[in-house]
Amino acid sequence: MSKKNARRSFLKKATLTSAAVTSSPFLLASGFEEKLILSRNHTPNSFSANDHINLALIGTGIQGIYDTQTALRVDGVQLVAACDLYTGRLERAKDLWGASIYTTRDYRDILNRKEIDAVIIATPDHWHQKITIDALNAGKHVYCEKPMVQKPEEGQAIINAQKVSGKICQVGSQGMSSLGNEKAKQLYEEGAIGDLVMLDMYNDRYSAEGAWQYPIPPDADTKTVDFDTFLGKAPKVPFEPKRFFRWRNYRDYGTGVAGDLFVHAFSTLNHVISSMGPNRALATGGLRYWKDGRDVPDVSITLYDYPKTDTHAAFNAAFRINFIAGSGGGGGFKLIGTEGEMEVGQNSVTVRRSKLSMIPHGYSMVSFTEEMQEKIRAGYDLDTLEPRTSSLSTGTTTWEAERDYKGGHYDHFNNFFTAIRNNGSVIQDPTFGLRAAGAALLANDSYYTQQPVNWDPVNMKLI
């Protein structure tokens, strides 16, 4: 179905729905409000002990633990090994998943174990490329946390390694496979908001933990932490616990708010509108409050240009992060179109359609005589610029996931393991992952060079 016909279909359904519910005493005359249920049924599977996917975790930090806990909820998956450079995390792995799992500080030990089928890579960003390629070359399926790369130019090597290996590689932006994304994509393609004009994304935080001031264990020293290995390709510096446990705060190891948070939004945006990404970015911001040694901003605002394509009009995107939001925090992701707006979350989607006023009212009529005003109104009436169908298709509809929905994070791992079992495809392969990461990391290039930067979304490289 063409986008034009899909839009007509959506408008027809919206009009019929509106007509059916406008008799409700709870609805305003200007439009309708309704709530609908999103659901997804996962058929339980039973696997023999010999048919389990043997999983290993490389990077047993915060996200690695959350990833693994979610992955193990998928039927037929078991954790057999864990790797980390801090001995305390290896002890924690045994607490969580049993004393029998194999633990090591050297990820190469994991890759050399033949019984391991797949690995989760949840290391600092500057290790993603190296370990992902090594894992693929070792014949392991890979779930690599976002952003897939620390720098855009690292991405092609992962794409090539995946193709040569033939193994599954999923990039871990955990909301990607969610019911919210799935419904938003359907609604967008049906023309629910008309032509896209703007994307508004923000993430406000108001806590030390939210600003990446993670706790540092009192036993952290050169014996319990393999700091030299952690540094990897980064500049050599003396042991400093903050750099290890709060690595997101440093450009040498992380990617700042762009790689940590923007990339989620780009994954959703590019998926929903079937886009390859933006072609220009302009960033500003600064370090306003958390002056704890970090060298990345805690307030960031970036504007992106998306060019016109077959799947969307030219539009702009605004990304805003504030790690010292006195308002208390919160977040949002909103697609704004010519005929409505769509707010997207992992568990819900809300579409609001308003009536576009094309007839002048008091403000612009004040300079005309009463007689002329009547003539002007009569002319607009004859043009019938506001048909009744436009009014009937206005209102708010919210789709919400059922209470027992397992969540987008679960769905993303289920997508990964299903692809492994069926030799299928994943929703966020390395090419998709590079387009999401590349777009996000434009914010860093612009911020540090203090100028706009241009990006080729098709070939995935800076211009």
Side-chain angles (χ1 to χ4, degrees):
M1 182 184 293
S2 69
K3 187 174 181 182
K4 184 176 182 181
N5 289 335
R7 176 181 173 277
R8 287 174 178 169
S9 174
F10 175 86
L11 290 175
K12 182 178 180 181
K13 286 187 288 186
T15 301
L16 290 173
T17 303
S18 304
V21 302
T22 48
S23 60
S24 169
F26 301 104
L27 300 174
L28 300 175
S30 60
F32 65 90
E33 292 188 22
E34 61 180 350
K35 287 191 176 181
L36 303 173
I37 298 297
L38 292 175
S39 62
R40 175 178 287 145
N41 295 319
H42 292 286
T43 304
N45 292 302
S46 179
F47 298 96
S48 68
N50 293 329
D51 196 26
H52 276 68
I53 293 174
N54 288 331
L55 180 67
L57 171 61
I58 300 175
T60 316
I62 300 167
Q63 190 59 44
I65 289 175
Y66 281 116
D67 279 345
T68 303
Q69 288 175 326
T70 302
L72 295 179
R73 293 172 59 203
V74 180
D75 293 335
V77 178
Q78 62 186 4
L79 187 76
V80 297
C83 173
D84 202 89
L85 298 177
Y86 168 52
T87 55
R89 287 180 178 156
L90 298 179
E91 293 167 1
R92 177 58 173 162
K94 289 182 178 292
D95 287 343
L96 290 171
W97 301 303
S100 64
I101 68 167
Y102 175 77
T103 58
T104 179
R105 282 198 193 187
D106 190 338
Y107 78 89
R108 293 169 297 184
D109 293 342
I110 297 285
L111 303 185
N112 287 333
R113 297 182 74 89
K114 294 182 179 180
E115 76 275 16
I116 293 173
D117 303 304
V119 297
I120 294 173
I121 298 173
T123 64
D125 299 344
H126 71 307
W127 271 103
H128 283 184
Q129 186 209 40
K130 169 66 173 170
I131 300 178
T132 296
I133 292 174
D134 285 351
L136 291 169
N137 290 342
K140 311 302 183 186
H141 301 289
V142 173
Y143 182 103
C144 177
E145 261 301 327
K146 56 75 200 165
M148 186 180 81
V149 291
Q150 188 186 30
K151 295 177 173 58
E153 58 268 25
E154 297 174 341
Q156 291 295 339
I158 293 179
I159 293 172
N160 293 335
Q162 187 275 321
K163 289 178 180 178
V164 170
S165 71
K167 296 299 177 179
I168 302 297
C169 183
Q170 174 93 297
V171 179
S173 184
Q174 51 262 31
M176 266 294 295
S177 304
S178 67
L179 277 174
N181 274 12
E182 182 180 277
K183 187 63 181 180
K185 184 177 181 66
Q186 175 198 343
L187 290 167
Y188 171 77
E189 291 176 350
E190 288 181 350
I193 60 171
D195 289 329
L196 186 57
V197 176
M198 187 172 183
L199 179 282
D200 185 21
M201 175 270 184
Y202 73 98
N203 187 312
D204 290 341
R205 298 183 175 187
Y206 199 53
S207 70
E209 186 177 65
W212 303 334
Q213 279 204 340
Y214 300 140
I216 297 173
D219 70 344
D221 58 28
T222 54
K223 293 182 180 179
T224 60
V225 175
D226 186 349
F227 190 70
D228 288 339
T229 297
F230 160 76
L231 291 176
K233 64 182 180 181
K236 303 303 178 185
V237 296
F239 174 70
E240 186 178 346
K242 284 199 302 184
R243 286 182 172 265
F244 183 86
F245 291 97
R246 300 176 181 173
W247 58 265
R248 283 178 173 83
N249 292 326
Y250 300 91
R251 294 176 65 188
D252 287 341
Y253 327 115
T255 47
V257 296
D260 201 66
L261 300 173
F262 284 13
V263 71
H264 285 302
F266 276 112
S267 296
T268 290
L269 177 59
N270 290 351
H271 173 68
V272 169
I273 67 175
S274 300
S275 178
M276 292 187 179
N279 60 1
R280 187 173 184 269
L282 176 62
T284 188
L287 185 55
R288 309 302 184 197
Y289 184 84
W290 299 104
K291 299 177 181 180
D292 51 6
R294 70 181 67 196
D295 57 14
V296 296
D298 55 11
V299 172
S300 177
I301 303 170
T302 306
L303 304 178
Y304 290 89
D305 294 339
Y306 269 71
K308 183 182 185 303
T309 70
D310 291 339
T311 64
H312 57 76
F315 70 96
N316 296 96
F319 287 68
R320 175 173 62 81
I321 305 292
N322 184 359
F323 275 4
I324 187 62
S327 59
F333 180 95
K334 188 183 296 183
L335 296 163
I336 303 166
T338 55
E339 299 177 27
E341 67 175 26
M342 180 162 54
E343 194 160 359
V344 183
Q346 291 190 36
N347 300 332
S348 67
V349 179
T350 296
V351 171
R352 300 178 185 90
R353 291 177 57 85
S354 303
K355 181 179 178 181
L356 176 62
S357 177
M358 300 295 290
I359 298 175
H361 297 283
Y363 176 76
S364 61
M365 298 283 268
V366 70
S367 62
F368 301 109
T369 64
E370 295 294 330
E371 180 181 2
M372 182 57 68
Q373 289 182 33
E374 289 300 322
K375 291 180 179 179
I376 291 173
R377 290 192 187 96
Y380 276 96
D381 288 341
L382 289 174
D383 289 338
T384 61
L385 293 176
E386 293 185 345
R388 178 163 172 73
T389 54
S390 174
S391 297
L392 287 175
S393 64
T394 62
T396 301
T397 302
T398 298
W399 289 262
E400 291 182 343
E402 294 178 315
R403 289 187 177 181
D404 61 352
Y405 174 48
K406 294 183 178 181
H409 202 180
Y410 173 91
D411 283 340
H412 208 46
F413 271 108
N414 188 67
N415 176 247
F416 174 56
F417 293 126
T418 299
I420 291 174
R421 289 189 179 280
N422 300 333
N423 194 28
S425 59
V426 289
I427 194 170
Q428 195 168 18
D429 65 13
T431 298
F432 190 105
L434 177 54
R435 288 201 167 105
L441 297 177
L442 295 178
N444 291 338
D445 289 316
S446 177
Y447 177 78
Y448 290 112
T449 60
Q450 298 184 17
Q451 62 185 8
V453 293
N454 296 309
W455 171 254
D456 179 348
V458 176
N459 297 304
M460 298 169 284
K461 61 182 181 181
L462 289 165
I463 300 175

